[in-house]
Every structure is written in C-alpha cells, then in structure tokens.
Amino acid sequence: MGIFTKYFLPNEYVQSIYTIKPEHLKEKNIKAIITDLDNTLVGWDVKDPTDEVRKWFEEMKENGITVTIVSNNNEDRVQTFSSTLNIDYIFKAKKPRGSAFRKATSLMQVNKSEVVVIGDQMLTDVFGGNRNGLYTIMVVPVKKTDGFITKFNRLIERRFLNYFKRKGYINWEE
C-alpha cells in the first residue's frame, strides 16, 4: 500500500454512527471519539440532535467513552448542537489540519492510540485523522446534499472510493 492508501483509506467504513458500538471500540482500546457533525451525526441542515443521536451519545458515555465534536462549521452551529448533549466541541476546526485533532485529544486526556475519528468525508475527517496517527471510521453521509466545497470534495472522494473498491481494500455498497 502506498502513500495514497495510507492517508485516504479509512480503517473502517460503516453505514452510520449507529453501527459503531462501544463494545467494538473497547476491543480496540478506544476511550475517546472525535466526531464530525454535519452529515455524520445529522444532516447539515438539522439544528438539534435527534433522539437517536442522543441515545448513541448516552450509550458511549455509559461505557466510559468520551466524545468531542470537531467541525469545520461556525461556532453558532456547533455550539447550539453540542450544548444540548453537554459535550465538548471545536468549531472552525480547519480539518484536515492537525491542530483541532491534537486539541480534542488533549481535552479528552487520552493518548492518540485511544482515539477514533468518525466522519463522512475522506478529504477532511479520514485524511486528517490518518495524518495524525488516529484510527478512522468513515460513515455514509446522512444526506445526499452538500454545500459547494463539500460537493467538490465528494467528486474527488468518489474516485478514491472506486479505486479502493477495485483494489479490494474496501468492500461495501452505499
């Protein structure tokens, strides 16, 4: 596997956050989650956590897994969503740059080997997590619609996904 695969291939690819179970994470010695917000937890246009999202966060908390939202979105968007869950967040994260990933890891007081990054974008979440030596799980986007920059990223991402499928590195259907 080359540099391309090292940085852009997620460790896992799943249908949604709901397929990520605390037992599975604990088997990998994961104690903390850095998760994206838009199109990972809810659609980019959904203001508040759904009951299902709340239940997932509670399940992680009950199992001793800390979650921090790291989003490239603005403070109002990320703070409004995160405050009702009573969790830490980082807004305008500038992913895939590493500072937000390091800050979140430090906030949660864990080693990077104990952190998983969960997100729907290969060019921000997976690339940023992999570059920083973190375990990465990519989810299928919650919504099919995106903002302009994300639409561009998805075009590139689609080529990467097709390449990984052809090479047999991943095996999934959207």
Side-chain angles (χ1 to χ4, degrees):
M1 288 201 267
I3 196 162
F4 176 69
T5 307
K6 175 183 176 183
Y7 288 121
F8 294 102
L9 181 66
N11 294 102
E12 297 180 42
Y13 186 91
V14 298
Q15 194 64 37
S16 77
I17 61 164
Y18 309 114
T19 60
I20 303 168
K21 302 296 181 195
E23 304 79 33
H24 174 68
L25 297 177
K26 285 175 153 185
E27 286 172 9
K28 298 185 174 311
N29 196 35
I30 298 295
K31 297 178 181 171
I33 296 170
I34 294 172
T35 184
D36 180 46
L37 169 55
D38 296 318
N39 276 350
T40 296
L41 300 176
V42 295
W44 59 269
D45 57 349
V46 175
K47 184 179 175 184
D48 297 308
T50 62
D51 289 341
E52 199 174 18
V53 166
R54 289 179 190 283
K55 185 179 175 207
W56 185 80
F57 272 84
E58 193 57 40
E59 185 180 17
M60 293 302 164
K61 186 177 181 180
E62 287 169 2
N63 282 276
I65 298 172
T66 308
V67 183
T68 297
I69 292 176
V70 175
S71 173
N72 285 346
N73 212 323
N74 64 57
E75 183 176 11
D76 183 53
R77 163 68 172 143
V78 183
Q79 190 274 332
T80 299
F81 187 91
S82 303
S83 64
T84 62
L85 294 168
N86 197 28
I87 62 157
D88 288 329
Y89 61 90
I90 297 170
F91 61 94
K92 290 189 180 174
K94 298 180 181 168
K95 295 180 290 184
R97 292 162 83 191
S99 58
F101 294 101
R102 290 188 296 277
K103 182 178 178 183
T105 301
S106 177
L107 267 175
M108 296 185 285
Q109 300 179 335
V110 291
N111 297 319
K112 65 183 190 176
S113 64
E114 300 170 320
V115 177
V116 63
V117 175
I118 300 172
D120 69 302
Q121 288 192 61
M122 188 178 288
L123 299 183
T124 55
D125 306 307
V126 174
F127 180 49
N130 286 349
R131 260 180 68 204
N132 286 279
L134 304 170
Y135 193 84
T136 55
I137 301 177
M138 188 171 168
V139 299
V140 175
V142 172
K143 288 191 89 166
K144 294 286 184 203
T145 59
D146 290 301
F148 176 75
I149 292 171
T150 305
K151 281 181 186 176
F152 177 76
N153 286 351
R154 297 262 189 237
L155 290 173
I156 297 167
E157 193 173 277
R158 180 69 38 220
R159 296 189 112 157
F160 286 174
L161 290 172
N162 288 334
Y163 171 81
F164 291 147
K165 284 180 186 179
R166 272 195 323 274
K167 291 290 186 182
Y169 295 142
I170 57 173
N171 183 19
W172 74 80
E173 298 300 319
E174 289 187 51

